[in-house]
Amino acid sequence: RFDPGYHRIWPLILFSGGTGQFVGGTVSPGKIRGDRTQTSPEFCGVQLVMIVMPAIDLIAGRCVRLYRGDFTQQTTYEKDPIEQGKAFQTAGFSRLHLVDLEGARDGMGRNRQKIQEVVKALDIPVQVGGGIRKRQDIIQLLGAGVHYLILGTSILNDPEGVTQWIDEWGPEYFIASLDLQRGELCGEGWVEQSNVALREVCEQIMSWGIPQVICTDVERDGTLTHPNYQTYRELFDCFSGSVQLVAAGGISQPMHIARLEKIGIDGAVVGKALYEGDVDWKDFVNAG
């Protein structure tokens, strides 16, 4: 059932007829390069399903959640990130979304050691974002066993550098992150507004061949309300189904995931609802 080739073909594949399983792993620069495939509900007899990912955000090595991306409105949780990740894995989630919020804001990678410890402790794939601004960051994180690297600020501020990274490693190990506040792109940990037009960035992402895009509606993040469905409809149209879209921000009920799937969204990140909500985690696991 395990085929490394699927990593370069369709990163969010889950095998039908049993427990979902991800494929792939870290590689040396340029070792694996692959062609893209068209979006399809089934590929090579493998059923594609929506994936629901739990989120761990880190500040000072602790699990935290922000309210609408505001660093002054921070909730810190007692459970250690390693134990939190293990709990999510035990519940049945098949991939972890892990973000260094301090790294996203200042690019310093202050939580890199904790990230490595979390990745080492888990069997499920981990996607990591926050502070990935240099080639050395990529080498370090892939070498630590991170499966996918989330690029946000780098895409806005250093597209030439991103092009070089994709030429070196291939697009399969990168996830493009689009963080929106009131419909405008922002970077630097949601602190700085960008002057780059959304459609321009979408076209650049498609030209790179990055297969996964995560969009966070910052105004909904940490609110326990509901997603901004219109935002995801517009993004789906912008990409014309050429990438896998993952929604984040305001997803607090399994019904939100079902509605996103009808729009054409391929994945969802759930955060505060898993820490403070009243929904059983299994309901989110099974919502995909």
Side-chain angles (χ1 to χ4, degrees), residues 69-140:
D70 186 349
F71 280 81
T72 68
Q73 299 190 64
Q74 170 188 322
T75 302
T76 303
Y77 300 95
E78 292 186 5
K79 186 170 288 187
D80 180 81
I82 295 173
E83 296 308 311
Q84 187 68 67
K86 287 181 177 179
F88 286 145
Q89 177 175 275
T90 300
F93 290 103
S94 55
R95 191 197 291 197
L96 177 67
H97 178 79
L98 181 60
V99 176
D100 177 354
L101 288 179
E102 290 172 297
R105 182 171 57 179
D106 59 28
M108 298 298 292
R110 303 177 193 277
N111 293 284
R112 201 62 55 81
Q113 180 61 40
K114 180 61 70 174
I115 288 171
Q116 293 179 15
E117 292 172 1
V118 172
V119 172
K120 184 178 180 180
L122 300 183
D123 296 321
I124 59 175
V126 180
Q127 61 187 43
V128 170
I132 302 174
R133 313 278 172 85
K134 304 183 298 295
R135 181 177 181 273
Q136 185 59 36
D137 296 329
I138 297 170
I139 293 172
Q140 182 183 27

Side-chain angles (χ1 to χ4, degrees), residues 142-255:
L142 288 181
V146 174
H147 282 69
Y148 304 103
L149 304 178
I150 303 169
L151 305 179
T153 300
S154 296
I155 284 176
L156 300 177
N157 296 347
D158 187 21
E160 294 83 6
V162 174
T163 298
Q164 293 175 7
W165 300 340
I166 289 173
D167 286 342
E168 188 168 0
W169 278 277
E172 305 84 10
Y173 294 92
F174 298 103
I175 299 173
S177 178
L178 302 175
D179 299 325
L180 298 176
Q181 273 189 323
R182 294 178 292 278
E184 300 295 327
L185 286 165
C186 57
E188 310 286 350
W190 305 333
V191 174
E192 299 293 333
Q193 292 284 343
S194 174
N195 294 322
V196 184
L198 177 58
R199 183 162 292 276
E200 178 183 342
V201 175
C202 291
E203 291 174 354
Q204 178 69 79
I205 292 169
M206 287 188 285
S207 73
W208 281 325
I210 293 178
Q212 302 176 77
V213 177
I214 179 171
C215 177
T216 301
D217 189 315
V218 180
E219 291 295 300
R220 302 294 177 97
D221 198 57
T223 63
L224 291 177
T225 54
H226 57 81
N228 187 333
Y229 298 106
Q230 185 59 32
T231 293
Y232 299 113
R233 289 190 188 94
E234 293 172 358
L235 273 179
F236 183 83
D237 292 339
C238 185
F239 284 109
S240 303
S242 63
V243 302
Q244 287 188 309
L245 280 175
V246 177
I251 300 170
S252 59
Q253 298 290 331
M255 70 179 70

Side-chain angles (χ1 to χ4, degrees), residues 236-287:
F236 183 83
D237 292 339
C238 185
F239 284 109
S240 303
S242 63
V243 302
Q244 287 188 309
L245 280 175
V246 177
I251 300 170
S252 59
Q253 298 290 331
M255 70 179 70
H256 298 159
I257 294 168
R259 185 169 174 183
L260 286 166
E261 187 172 20
K262 289 181 179 179
I263 294 172
I265 304 304
D266 302 287
V269 173
V270 183
K272 194 171 186 177
L274 298 176
Y275 294 85
E276 299 184 19
D278 56 1
V279 179
D280 190 291
W281 289 4
K282 288 288 185 181
D283 293 335
F284 281 111
V285 171
N286 296 327

